[in-house]
Amino acid sequence: TFLRPEVASVVPASSSKAPAASKAGSGEKTGPSRPAKLALEGNKWVVEFQSGAQGLRITETEPKQTIYIYRCENTTIQISGKVNTIIIDACKKVGVVFENAISGIEVVNSTGLEVQVTGKVPSVAIDKTTGIQLYLGKDALDTEIVSSKSSEMNVLVPGKDENSDLVEIAIPEQYKTLYKGGKLITESVQHV
């Protein structure tokens, strides 16, 4: 089962085309600037420049493959099976649902993401990202999360039983460091 049905509603990628990039009246680009791409290149699935593509699906995966998601906006992607690594780079308002990643998942330079693991992933690295909701299924509760230069990060885990609501836990963003006994001791700031 999916924790967030609206993130997980998918259709085959072949039936979904991303709209072309549009420009605002000020001349600024509001969407991806190159043609949308969803292709397997060697051992790497490349998902690039998708905008408004709800329900992209990657179903034929292998453990040696990586998934590289780059410069996508307002897009949802479902990845079936087991892959080696998933990288999400420079994306805005993207939802990714995946089953298993052997090595881990990396998120960098992104904003407003929702990432959900339904199986297992050993580690999640979050770097230079603002706003990420990370949904961990019951088999992924031992996932290691490493973050740097990021904010507005929340982890959602299952409640005490199947009928319970998800429990949302914020990843600390503020730390204090003290010099004690010849070394630096750093801990997250606890607000009461």
Side-chain angles (χ1 to χ4, degrees):
T1 62
F2 293 104
L3 299 175
R4 296 279 311 254
E6 65 274 16
V7 174
S9 61
V10 295
V11 295
S14 60
S15 68
S16 168
K17 295 212 176 209
S22 60
K23 298 194 181 213
S26 64
E28 287 185 27
K29 294 179 185 176
T30 58
S33 59
R34 296 190 0 199
K37 181 181 199 178
L38 172 59
L40 178 61
E41 298 176 350
N43 285 332
K44 182 196 297 187
W45 279 98
V46 178
V47 183
E48 293 181 334
F49 303 103
Q50 300 285 341
S51 181
Q54 300 301 310
L56 295 180
R57 184 181 283 184
I58 300 173
T59 56
E60 297 179 21
T61 60
E62 296 178 12
K64 62 185 175 183
Q65 294 174 339
T66 62
I67 311 284
Y68 183 63
I69 303 167
Y70 179 69
R71 282 259 172 118
C72 294
E73 292 184 25
N74 300 311
T75 298
T76 59
I77 303 159
Q78 181 178 3
I79 303 162
S80 300
K82 185 183 284 190
V83 296
N84 187 3
T85 304
I86 300 169
I87 301 165
I88 303 171
D89 185 4
C91 292
K92 294 179 183 175
K93 296 185 180 182
V94 169
V96 177
V97 178
F98 69 97
E99 290 177 13
N100 298 291
I102 297 167
S103 177
I105 180 168
E106 298 175 26
V107 178
V108 64
N109 298 322
S110 296
T111 58
L113 300 183
E114 291 189 16
V115 177
Q116 177 180 341
V117 56
T118 59
K120 290 195 68 74
V121 62
S123 67
V124 176
I126 305 167
D127 188 27
K128 299 177 192 162
T129 294
T130 302
I132 181 170
Q133 300 279 78
L134 178 61
Y135 298 84
L136 298 178
K138 62 180 168 74
D139 295 331
L141 297 178
D142 59 349
T143 300
E144 177 182 77
I145 302 166
V146 177
S147 61
S148 64
K149 298 182 182 179
S150 297
S151 63
E152 301 170 37
M153 302 170 288
N154 294 302
V155 177
L156 290 97
V157 296
K160 294 182 195 251
D161 57 50
E162 277 189 30
N163 298 325
S164 297
D165 289 338
L166 294 173
V167 177
E168 184 173 0
I169 305 163
I171 296 176
E173 298 177 34
Q174 191 173 25
Y175 303 92
K176 68 177 180 180
T177 302
L178 300 171
Y179 179 78
K180 283 186 180 177
K183 57 185 172 182
L184 295 176
I185 308 292
T186 301
E187 57 186 40
S188 61
V189 173
Q190 301 293 323
H191 296 284
V192 183

